PDB file of all heavy atoms in Angstrom:
ATOM      1  N   LEU A 144     111.087  82.926 134.135  1.00 95.00           N
ATOM      2  CA  LEU A 144     110.638  84.174 133.533  1.00 95.00           C
ATOM      3  C   LEU A 144     109.891  84.986 134.584  1.00 95.00           C
ATOM      4  O   LEU A 144     109.012  84.460 135.273  1.00 95.00           O
ATOM      5  CB  LEU A 144     109.727  83.867 132.341  1.00 95.00           C
ATOM      6  CG  LEU A 144     109.170  85.022 131.536  1.00 95.00           C
ATOM      7  CD1 LEU A 144     110.291  85.784 130.841  1.00 95.00           C
ATOM      8  CD2 LEU A 144     108.174  84.499 130.513  1.00 95.00           C
ATOM      9  N   PHE A 145     110.248  86.280 134.687  1.00 96.00           N
ATOM     10  CA  PHE A 145     109.630  87.151 135.679  1.00 96.00           C
ATOM     11  C   PHE A 145     109.118  88.417 135.015  1.00 96.00           C
ATOM     12  O   PHE A 145     109.811  89.024 134.197  1.00 96.00           O
ATOM     13  CB  PHE A 145     110.625  87.515 136.783  1.00 96.00           C
ATOM     14  CG  PHE A 145     111.076  86.320 137.561  1.00 96.00           C
ATOM     15  CD1 PHE A 145     112.246  85.670 137.226  1.00 96.00           C
ATOM     16  CD2 PHE A 145     110.310  85.836 138.609  1.00 96.00           C
ATOM     17  CE1 PHE A 145     112.657  84.549 137.931  1.00 96.00           C
ATOM     18  CE2 PHE A 145     110.716  84.710 139.320  1.00 96.00           C
ATOM     19  CZ  PHE A 145     111.891  84.072 138.975  1.00 96.00           C
ATOM     20  N   GLN A 146     107.905  88.811 135.403  1.00 96.00           N
ATOM     21  CA  GLN A 146     107.287  90.013 134.866  1.00 96.00           C
ATOM     22  C   GLN A 146     107.279  91.087 135.945  1.00 96.00           C
ATOM     23  O   GLN A 146     106.913  90.833 137.094  1.00 96.00           O
ATOM     24  CB  GLN A 146     105.855  89.708 134.415  1.00 96.00           C
ATOM     25  CG  GLN A 146     105.204  90.841 133.684  1.00 96.00           C
ATOM     26  CD  GLN A 146     103.859  90.415 133.094  1.00 96.00           C
ATOM     27  OE1 GLN A 146     103.195  89.527 133.609  1.00 96.00           O
ATOM     28  NE2 GLN A 146     103.474  91.050 132.011  1.00 96.00           N
ATOM     29  N   CYS A 147     107.706  92.286 135.543  1.00 96.00           N
ATOM     30  CA  CYS A 147     107.743  93.436 136.449  1.00 96.00           C
ATOM     31  C   CYS A 147     106.456  94.246 136.316  1.00 96.00           C
ATOM     32  O   CYS A 147     105.699  94.095 135.363  1.00 96.00           O
ATOM     33  CB  CYS A 147     108.942  94.324 136.115  1.00 96.00           C
ATOM     34  SG  CYS A 147     110.511  93.471 136.205  1.00 96.00           S
ATOM     35  N   ARG A 148     106.261  95.145 137.242  1.00 95.00           N
ATOM     36  CA  ARG A 148     105.085  96.003 137.255  1.00 95.00           C
ATOM     37  C   ARG A 148     105.012  96.909 136.033  1.00 95.00           C
ATOM     38  O   ARG A 148     103.955  97.100 135.443  1.00 95.00           O
ATOM     39  CB  ARG A 148     105.107  96.836 138.546  1.00 95.00           C
ATOM     40  CG  ARG A 148     103.916  97.756 138.725  1.00 95.00           C
ATOM     41  CD  ARG A 148     104.055  98.632 139.943  1.00 95.00           C
ATOM     42  NE  ARG A 148     105.189  99.522 139.745  1.00 95.00           N
ATOM     43  CZ  ARG A 148     106.127  99.769 140.647  1.00 95.00           C
ATOM     44  NH1 ARG A 148     106.083  99.209 141.822  1.00 95.00           N
ATOM     45  NH2 ARG A 148     107.121 100.587 140.369  1.00 95.00           N
ATOM     46  N   ASP A 149     106.169  97.493 135.638  1.00 95.00           N
ATOM     47  CA  ASP A 149     106.188  98.423 134.512  1.00 95.00           C
ATOM     48  C   ASP A 149     107.592  98.466 133.905  1.00 95.00           C
ATOM     49  O   ASP A 149     108.516  97.797 134.394  1.00 95.00           O
ATOM     50  CB  ASP A 149     105.726  99.813 134.942  1.00 95.00           C
ATOM     51  CG  ASP A 149     106.513 100.379 136.117  1.00 95.00           C
ATOM     52  OD1 ASP A 149     107.712 100.038 136.265  1.00 95.00           O
ATOM     53  OD2 ASP A 149     105.940 101.166 136.885  1.00 95.00           O
ATOM     54  N   ALA A 150     107.760  99.259 132.863  1.00 94.00           N
ATOM     55  CA  ALA A 150     109.042  99.348 132.157  1.00 94.00           C
ATOM     56  C   ALA A 150     110.137  99.930 133.054  1.00 94.00           C
ATOM     57  O   ALA A 150     111.296  99.491 132.984  1.00 94.00           O
ATOM     58  CB  ALA A 150     108.893 100.193 130.892  1.00 94.00           C
ATOM     59  N   ASP A 151     109.797 100.882 133.913  1.00 95.00           N
ATOM     60  CA  ASP A 151     110.784 101.468 134.813  1.00 95.00           C
ATOM     61  C   ASP A 151     111.315 100.432 135.804  1.00 95.00           C
ATOM     62  O   ASP A 151     112.509 100.382 136.087  1.00 95.00           O
ATOM     63  CB  ASP A 151     110.198 102.659 135.574  1.00 95.00           C
ATOM     64  CG  ASP A 151     109.926 103.847 134.671  1.00 95.00           C
ATOM     65  OD1 ASP A 151     110.534 103.936 133.581  1.00 95.00           O
ATOM     66  OD2 ASP A 151     109.093 104.700 135.059  1.00 95.00           O
ATOM     67  N   SER A 152     110.418  99.620 136.311  1.00 95.00           N
ATOM     68  CA  SER A 152     110.814  98.567 137.247  1.00 95.00           C
ATOM     69  C   SER A 152     111.731  97.554 136.557  1.00 95.00           C
ATOM     70  O   SER A 152     112.742  97.133 137.126  1.00 95.00           O
ATOM     71  CB  SER A 152     109.564  97.865 137.785  1.00 95.00           C
ATOM     72  OG  SER A 152     109.909  96.755 138.561  1.00 95.00           O
ATOM     73  N   LYS A 153     111.380  97.192 135.345  1.00 95.00           N
ATOM     74  CA  LYS A 153     112.211  96.254 134.587  1.00 95.00           C
ATOM     75  C   LYS A 153     113.607  96.840 134.359  1.00 95.00           C
ATOM     76  O   LYS A 153     114.622  96.161 134.572  1.00 95.00           O
ATOM     77  CB  LYS A 153     111.550  95.954 133.238  1.00 95.00           C
ATOM     78  CG  LYS A 153     112.385  95.092 132.318  1.00 95.00           C
ATOM     79  CD  LYS A 153     111.675  94.912 130.986  1.00 95.00           C
ATOM     80  CE  LYS A 153     112.525  94.227 129.969  1.00 95.00           C
ATOM     81  NZ  LYS A 153     111.818  94.024 128.696  1.00 95.00           N
ATOM     82  N   ALA A 154     113.671  98.095 133.967  1.00 95.00           N
ATOM     83  CA  ALA A 154     114.956  98.754 133.731  1.00 95.00           C
ATOM     84  C   ALA A 154     115.773  98.804 135.023  1.00 95.00           C
ATOM     85  O   ALA A 154     116.992  98.605 135.004  1.00 95.00           O
ATOM     86  CB  ALA A 154     114.737 100.162 133.176  1.00 95.00           C
ATOM     87  N   ALA A 155     115.112  99.050 136.140  1.00 95.00           N
ATOM     88  CA  ALA A 155     115.812  99.109 137.424  1.00 95.00           C
ATOM     89  C   ALA A 155     116.377  97.741 137.811  1.00 95.00           C
ATOM     90  O   ALA A 155     117.497  97.640 138.315  1.00 95.00           O
ATOM     91  CB  ALA A 155     114.882  99.636 138.512  1.00 95.00           C
ATOM     92  N   TRP A 156     115.604  96.672 137.588  1.00 95.00           N
ATOM     93  CA  TRP A 156     116.098  95.318 137.863  1.00 95.00           C
ATOM     94  C   TRP A 156     117.343  95.021 137.033  1.00 95.00           C
ATOM     95  O   TRP A 156     118.346  94.522 137.548  1.00 95.00           O
ATOM     96  CB  TRP A 156     115.028  94.261 137.570  1.00 95.00           C
ATOM     97  CG  TRP A 156     114.117  93.990 138.717  1.00 95.00           C
ATOM     98  CD1 TRP A 156     112.827  94.423 138.861  1.00 95.00           C
ATOM     99  CD2 TRP A 156     114.406  93.228 139.889  1.00 95.00           C
ATOM    100  NE1 TRP A 156     112.313  93.976 140.055  1.00 95.00           N
ATOM    101  CE2 TRP A 156     113.272  93.228 140.702  1.00 95.00           C
ATOM    102  CE3 TRP A 156     115.536  92.545 140.325  1.00 95.00           C
ATOM    103  CZ2 TRP A 156     113.205  92.582 141.932  1.00 95.00           C
ATOM    104  CZ3 TRP A 156     115.485  91.875 141.552  1.00 95.00           C
ATOM    105  CH2 TRP A 156     114.329  91.901 142.342  1.00 95.00           C
ATOM    106  N   LEU A 157     117.277  95.303 135.745  1.00 96.00           N
ATOM    107  CA  LEU A 157     118.406  95.005 134.853  1.00 96.00           C
ATOM    108  C   LEU A 157     119.625  95.859 135.197  1.00 96.00           C
ATOM    109  O   LEU A 157     120.763  95.374 135.174  1.00 96.00           O
ATOM    110  CB  LEU A 157     117.992  95.174 133.398  1.00 96.00           C
ATOM    111  CG  LEU A 157     116.931  94.164 132.908  1.00 96.00           C
ATOM    112  CD1 LEU A 157     116.447  94.524 131.512  1.00 96.00           C
ATOM    113  CD2 LEU A 157     117.443  92.743 132.958  1.00 96.00           C
ATOM    114  N   ALA A 158     119.412  97.118 135.561  1.00 95.00           N
ATOM    115  CA  ALA A 158     120.523  97.997 135.947  1.00 95.00           C
ATOM    116  C   ALA A 158     121.162  97.514 137.254  1.00 95.00           C
ATOM    117  O   ALA A 158     122.384  97.513 137.398  1.00 95.00           O
ATOM    118  CB  ALA A 158     120.039  99.440 136.089  1.00 95.00           C
ATOM    119  N   ALA A 159     120.333  97.097 138.195  1.00 94.00           N
ATOM    120  CA  ALA A 159     120.857  96.592 139.462  1.00 94.00           C
ATOM    121  C   ALA A 159     121.644  95.302 139.242  1.00 94.00           C
ATOM    122  O   ALA A 159     122.676  95.076 139.882  1.00 94.00           O
ATOM    123  CB  ALA A 159     119.716  96.365 140.457  1.00 94.00           C
ATOM    124  N   TYR A 160     121.172  94.467 138.327  1.00 95.00           N
ATOM    125  CA  TYR A 160     121.917  93.238 137.999  1.00 95.00           C
ATOM    126  C   TYR A 160     123.286  93.589 137.415  1.00 95.00           C
ATOM    127  O   TYR A 160     124.294  92.994 137.788  1.00 95.00           O
ATOM    128  CB  TYR A 160     121.115  92.370 137.024  1.00 95.00           C
ATOM    129  CG  TYR A 160     121.910  91.206 136.487  1.00 95.00           C
ATOM    130  CD1 TYR A 160     122.222  90.120 137.298  1.00 95.00           C
ATOM    131  CD2 TYR A 160     122.365  91.203 135.177  1.00 95.00           C
ATOM    132  CE1 TYR A 160     122.966  89.056 136.810  1.00 95.00           C
ATOM    133  CE2 TYR A 160     123.111  90.149 134.687  1.00 95.00           C
ATOM    134  CZ  TYR A 160     123.401  89.075 135.510  1.00 95.00           C
ATOM    135  OH  TYR A 160     124.151  88.039 135.023  1.00 95.00           O
ATOM    136  N   ASP A 161     123.316  94.562 136.502  1.00 94.00           N
ATOM    137  CA  ASP A 161     124.602  94.992 135.928  1.00 94.00           C
ATOM    138  C   ASP A 161     125.535  95.503 137.021  1.00 94.00           C
ATOM    139  O   ASP A 161     126.736  95.236 137.009  1.00 94.00           O
ATOM    140  CB  ASP A 161     124.390  96.075 134.872  1.00 94.00           C
ATOM    141  CG  ASP A 161     123.778  95.527 133.589  1.00 94.00           C
ATOM    142  OD1 ASP A 161     123.824  94.296 133.373  1.00 94.00           O
ATOM    143  OD2 ASP A 161     123.243  96.331 132.805  1.00 94.00           O
ATOM    144  N   GLU A 162     124.984  96.242 137.971  1.00 92.00           N
ATOM    145  CA  GLU A 162     125.791  96.753 139.069  1.00 92.00           C
ATOM    146  C   GLU A 162     126.318  95.612 139.931  1.00 92.00           C
ATOM    147  O   GLU A 162     127.484  95.606 140.344  1.00 92.00           O
ATOM    148  CB  GLU A 162     124.974  97.714 139.927  1.00 92.00           C
ATOM    149  CG  GLU A 162     125.769  98.293 141.067  1.00 92.00           C
ATOM    150  CD  GLU A 162     124.982  99.298 141.899  1.00 92.00           C
ATOM    151  OE1 GLU A 162     123.862  99.673 141.519  1.00 92.00           O
ATOM    152  OE2 GLU A 162     125.510  99.693 142.954  1.00 92.00           O
ATOM    153  N   ALA A 163     125.467  94.617 140.198  1.00 92.00           N
ATOM    154  CA  ALA A 163     125.893  93.466 140.998  1.00 92.00           C
ATOM    155  C   ALA A 163     127.012  92.701 140.304  1.00 92.00           C
ATOM    156  O   ALA A 163     127.983  92.286 140.948  1.00 92.00           O
ATOM    157  CB  ALA A 163     124.702  92.545 141.264  1.00 92.00           C
TER     158      ALA A 163
END
Side-chain angles (χ1 to χ4, degrees):
L144 182 65
F145 297 95
Q146 188 172 28
C147 302
R148 182 185 65 226
D149 55 30
D151 291 338
S152 173
K153 175 183 172 178
W156 273 104
L157 294 172
Y160 171 72
D161 288 342
E162 181 178 352

